[in-house]
Amino acid sequence: MALKIARRGLVPPFIVMDVLRAANDREAAGEDVLHLEVGQPGTPAPAPVRAAAKAALESARLGYTDAMGVPSLRARIARSYGETYGVELDPQRVIVTTGSSGGFLLGFLASFEAGDRVALAAPGYPAYRNILTSLGVEPVLLPCDLAHRFQPTVELLDRVAPPLDGLILASPSNPTGTMLGRAALSDLVAYCADRGVRLVSDEIYHGIAYEEPAVSALELTDDAIVINSFSKYYSMTGWRLGWMVLPEDLLRPVECLAQNLFISPPTLSQIAAETAFDCHEELDGYVAAYARNRAVLLRELPKAGFDRLAPADGAFYLYADVSRLTNDSQDFCRRMLAETGVAVTPGMDFDPERGHRFVRFSFAGPEVEMGQAAARLGAWLAD
Ligand SMILES: Cc1ncc(COP(=O)(O)O)c(C=O)c1O
């Protein structure tokens, strides 16, 4: 007799992981693959972070920590808000999490009931809608387009049938890299305040911006759940460490959930991460490399035939409208990998409705590969 499987687990796969596997299989077979599909830095954690981890491994007990995180790390994170945004923050409002992914789970569980409705941009990071769905919360996709930098607007929200319980924002966004300016973000914060909508601001790509620095929701309100991570700017994806800044009313519920779900975030990573806030020289060097990669792709991709690109204000992605080249971006990416060895991600992950017309290029890899990829793609499309 077949045993029951909960519907909660029936969420779509993350297609980029399938692309990654296909690219790795080709590489293992001896082929030369250019990885413009991966959404993570190709660099290690800053040297002082690695040194701190080595020392802690030898000398610290590495037991559980407080469920909210090591107090000195919470204090250091709070201090960084003063340094970066000029915002004074009580360390008690900071909770350290297992990546921002752990933060989403805790934040959504504490804020939304099954049956609630939460708006978010399409295209957007797929885990938001898949986590919400698995919790029985209804994701309400806002069809965002180039005219509004692929970001939600009050006008789009006004078209959503009530009730709305939450809004998730990501600036810079994955997959588009586009950002919300201060005025646009303020409008959305005011919208949420007026209607009692819980705002979740994913700020994981803060620090990686090319024109203006990103604005934190915390500069505008104390009511939002602000989510961040050591994964991107700090180049520490595998250390599985992130944090949230919470409104007062969510502190205790999130603490209780964290105690039960995770006990504590990874101890070794927490001890080492404290030094990351003093590594700006090394980390800004990584951002300078992304900026060079971005410049190469913005110059070369249009020549190759990818001329409809979202204005990537930050992060390390370019989202390209490929509707003039294909109506099936998944098949297009499969053929691209097979025929050129260039791996990119089809848009379906990010936008179930319109993603078949888009692909995402990641430029987190080595600079030399950016030019090579554009050259291979130019020759391929010319064929
Ligand atoms: C927008 C966005 N948020 C969150 C995450 C999850 O990151 P982590 O759990 O490593 O902090 C990612 C990862 O790619 C992302 O792109």
Side-chain angles (χ1 to χ4, degrees):
M1 193 169 70
L3 295 177
K4 189 163 116 185
I5 298 174
R7 274 187 302 142
R8 224 175 275 128
L10 302 180
V11 294
F14 199 178
I15 296 171
V16 68
M17 303 311 283
D18 294 341
V19 178
L20 192 60
R21 184 176 323 122
N24 289 340
D25 286 350
R26 289 181 64 83
E27 215 162 33
E31 301 205 22
D32 172 27
V33 174
L34 301 176
H35 289 278
L36 278 75
E37 83 286 25
V38 285
Q40 64 174 337
T43 45
V49 172
R50 284 178 278 141
K54 267 188 207 151
L57 204 51
E58 293 300 329
S59 63
R61 189 172 67 87
L62 301 178
Y64 296 133
T65 69
D66 188 289
M68 300 286 267
V70 171
S72 57
L73 177 59
R74 296 171 71 193
R76 185 65 192 90
I77 292 170
R79 183 147 68 85
S80 78
Y81 279 83
E83 294 162 353
T84 309
Y85 308 103
V87 172
E88 204 178 313
L89 176 61
D90 177 355
Q92 296 305 319
R93 287 182 55 200
V94 176
I95 166 167
V96 183
T97 55
T98 305
S100 69
S101 304
F104 292 127
L105 187 58
L106 291 169
F108 295 171
L109 276 168
S111 308
F112 306 123
E113 303 285 3
D116 279 0
R117 287 157 47 82
V118 174
L120 62 169
Y125 180 59
Y128 306 140
R129 63 170 200 277
N130 293 339
I131 298 173
L132 290 170
T133 304
S134 74
L135 298 178
V137 179
E138 184 188 341
V140 178
L141 298 186
L142 304 169
C144 298
D145 52 31
L146 188 57
H148 296 105
R149 304 182 95 72
F150 289 105
Q151 289 284 357
T153 59
V154 168
E155 197 192 337
L156 274 174
L157 284 163
D158 277 339
R159 285 191 221 150
V160 170
L164 201 57
D165 303 286
L167 170 66
I168 301 173
L169 298 176
S171 168
S173 133
N174 176 7
T176 63
T178 55
M179 281 163 46
L180 286 161
R182 188 175 296 273
L185 184 57
S186 300
D187 288 350
L188 292 164
V189 166
Y191 175 96
C192 289
D194 287 350
R195 290 166 181 77
V197 170
R198 178 77 76 183
L199 177 63
V200 180
S201 179
D202 181 358
E203 306 189 349
I204 186 170
Y205 290 102
H206 278 216
I208 309 177
Y210 307 107
E211 310 289 341
E212 301 280 330
V215 181
S216 171
L218 203 63
E219 296 177 55
L220 305 168
T221 177
D222 282 326
D223 293 332
I225 298 177
V226 173
I227 297 198
N228 210 321
S229 170
F230 290 93
S231 287
K232 309 294 171 163
Y233 173 72
Y234 298 96
S235 192
M236 294 171 60
T237 44
W239 299 65
R240 306 311 302 130
L241 208 63
W243 72 88
M244 283 194 286
V245 179
L246 292 169
E248 297 284 348
D249 60 344
L250 285 180
L251 280 172
R252 187 63 182 150
V254 167
E255 179 174 21
C256 295
L257 284 164
Q259 288 167 345
N260 284 283
L261 286 174
F262 299 112
I263 301 188
S264 72
T267 306
L268 183 63
S269 301
Q270 290 191 71
I271 294 171
E274 231 174 287
T275 52
F277 293 96
D278 301 313
C279 298
H280 287 295
E281 207 176 307
E282 195 169 341
L283 295 169
D284 290 344
Y286 296 166
V287 178
Y290 303 143
R292 289 194 295 276
N293 290 355
R294 172 179 177 269
V296 171
L297 289 188
L298 286 176
R299 189 179 67 231
E300 300 299 329
L301 281 180
K303 290 188 211 158
F306 299 90
D307 54 357
R308 295 154 98 184
L309 302 169
D313 310 308
F316 32 60
Y317 306 114
L318 279 174
Y319 200 53
D321 180 341
V322 290
S323 55
R324 280 200 288 224
L325 304 169
T326 182
N327 198 26
D328 180 351
S329 58
Q330 208 167 338
D331 177 62
F332 183 74
C333 291
R334 214 175 288 128
R335 282 190 291 121
M336 183 190 292
L337 179 62
E339 293 167 27
T340 70
V342 178
V344 307
T345 308
M348 299 301 294
D349 259 346
F350 311 106
D351 185 346
E353 294 285 320
R354 297 169 302 165
H356 60 282
R357 294 196 276 116
F358 291 87
V359 300
R360 186 196 73 176
F361 294 91
S362 165
F363 53 84
E367 186 174 354
V368 56
E369 294 194 1
M370 302 300 129
Q372 286 173 356
R376 285 192 203 178
L377 295 181
W380 184 58
L381 290 181
D383 258 2

